[in-house]
Amino acid sequence: MPNERLRDAILRNGLTPVAVAERIGVDAKTVERWITQDRTPYPRHRHAIAAMVREDVPYLWPDAVTPEKASKIGQNEMIQLYSRRSSVPYDLWRRLIERAEERIDVLAYAGLFLLEQDPRLVDILRQKGVDGVAVNILLGDPASAAIERRSVEEGAPGVMAAKIRQVQQYYNRLDGAPGVKVLYHDTTLYNSIYRFDDEMLVNMHVLGFPAPHAPVMHLRKLNGGDLFRTYSDSFDRVLGASKPQPSDEVAA
C-alpha cells in the first residue's frame, strides 16, 4: 500500500519527490519507494521530511515510533510543572501569545484570568487573526449541566456561569474578526488547555479546588512524542463538537 499521508504532505507543501530527495541528500527513486511502497526511511530522514512538510513523524509513519519510544520522548516534552496556575509567570503567558504565528487555542470554562491579567488581550487576538494566526476560543456553555456541576464542586453554585457571561462581553468584540472563532462547548473538562503553536499550558482540574490552585504543565512539542499530542487531540475533539452560540441564546 502506498503511503498516502506522505504523498499528500509533500504535494500540499508544493514539493516533489525530486525536491525532497535533493534537500535530504538521497536518490529520488528512494523517495518514490517511501511513497509508493510505504517503506520507512532512516530516523534522520524521517525527522528531516517531517520538519520539511510540517507534520509529525507518527502521522507520516504510524508504525515507525514504538509506544515505548513515544512515551520516553513525551517525558521530555514537559518543560516545567507548576504546582498551581497562579504560580505561572505572567511573562510566560505574554511570550507565548505574542510569539504565536500559526495558532492560538484556548479550551476552558471561562478563562477570565486571561482577560484580567491583560486588558489588551482582545485587541491582540484580533490582530493575530489579521496576521494569519488561527485563533480558537472554546468557552463553556453557561446553560450546560457541566458548568453548574463544576460550580457546585468548587462550592460556589452559579458562579461559573456568571464568569462565562462576563467573559462573553469581552469576546463579543471579536465578532467578525478574520481568523478568530469563539465557540461554546458542553464538555466536562478534566483540564483547561492553552496552546500556542508548538507550546502548551495544561491546567489540570482537581475536585474541590478552583483552577488557579491546580497544577499546570508547560509542554513543548517534540517529533514522535505522545504527551503533547494527547492534549492536542483532546482539544480537537472538543473543537469538533463546539457550536457558535450558547444553548440558551439559540433557544431564545
Side-chain angles (χ1 to χ4, degrees), residues 51-247:
M52 195 184 307
V53 300
R54 295 175 292 181
E55 290 288 359
D56 292 335
V57 167
Y59 172 78
L60 297 173
W61 298 280
D63 298 327
V65 180
T66 65
E68 293 77 12
K69 180 66 177 297
S71 179
K72 187 172 182 179
I73 296 174
Q75 294 173 23
N76 292 304
E77 290 184 307
M78 185 186 296
I79 298 174
Q80 181 73 42
L81 176 64
Y82 298 93
S83 60
R84 54 182 60 198
R85 194 187 70 201
S86 56
S87 300
V88 180
Y90 166 67
D91 285 349
L92 176 58
W93 290 100
R94 183 178 61 185
R95 175 180 67 81
L96 293 175
I97 293 171
E98 292 180 350
R99 292 187 181 181
E101 297 180 346
E102 296 181 2
R103 62 188 294 174
I104 294 175
D105 294 329
V106 173
L107 170 60
Y109 283 137
L112 178 60
F113 75 97
L114 286 174
L115 296 155
E116 290 178 332
Q117 68 184 12
D118 190 349
R120 304 172 302 129
L121 179 63
V122 171
D123 294 330
I124 292 172
L125 293 179
R126 180 186 293 108
Q127 186 60 50
K128 285 290 182 180
V130 170
D131 294 340
V133 178
V135 180
N136 293 293
I137 310 294
L138 308 187
L139 303 175
D141 184 335
S144 72
I147 296 302
E148 184 55 23
R149 185 181 309 115
R150 180 62 179 172
S151 292
V152 171
E153 289 171 351
E154 292 185 359
V159 169
M160 188 63 70
K163 287 182 179 180
I164 295 170
R165 293 299 187 195
Q166 184 177 355
V167 167
Q168 278 183 290
Q169 300 304 310
Y170 292 96
Y171 287 138
N172 283 343
R173 292 161 46 197
L174 291 171
D175 285 351
V180 180
K181 294 180 182 178
V182 179
L183 303 172
Y184 296 86
H185 66 86
D186 58 6
T187 307
T188 298
L189 295 183
Y190 302 100
N191 305 274
S192 294
I193 298 173
Y194 307 89
R195 178 176 179 177
F196 314 92
D197 291 345
D198 289 341
E199 293 190 59
M200 183 185 294
L201 293 171
V202 179
N203 189 184
M204 306 171 197
H205 290 188
V206 181
L207 182 64
F209 287 85
H213 300 294
V216 170
M217 291 187 294
H218 180 191
L219 307 178
R220 180 176 294 159
K221 179 181 176 183
L222 294 176
N223 229 318
D226 61 1
L227 184 58
F228 187 99
R229 188 171 70 249
T230 294
Y231 290 102
S232 181
D233 289 349
S234 177
F235 179 91
D236 289 340
R237 283 195 291 273
V238 180
L239 175 62
S242 297
K243 49 191 182 295
Q245 287 182 302
S247 55

Side-chain angles (χ1 to χ4, degrees), residues 1-4 6-8 10 16-17 30-39 61:
M1 292 290 292
N3 188 332
E4 296 296 349
L6 178 58
R7 188 200 307 275
D8 175 73
I10 290 173
T16 65
T30 299
V31 178
E32 287 285 357
R33 285 192 289 269
W34 292 341
I35 297 172
T36 60
Q37 301 177 26
D38 195 18
R39 294 192 180 180
W61 298 280

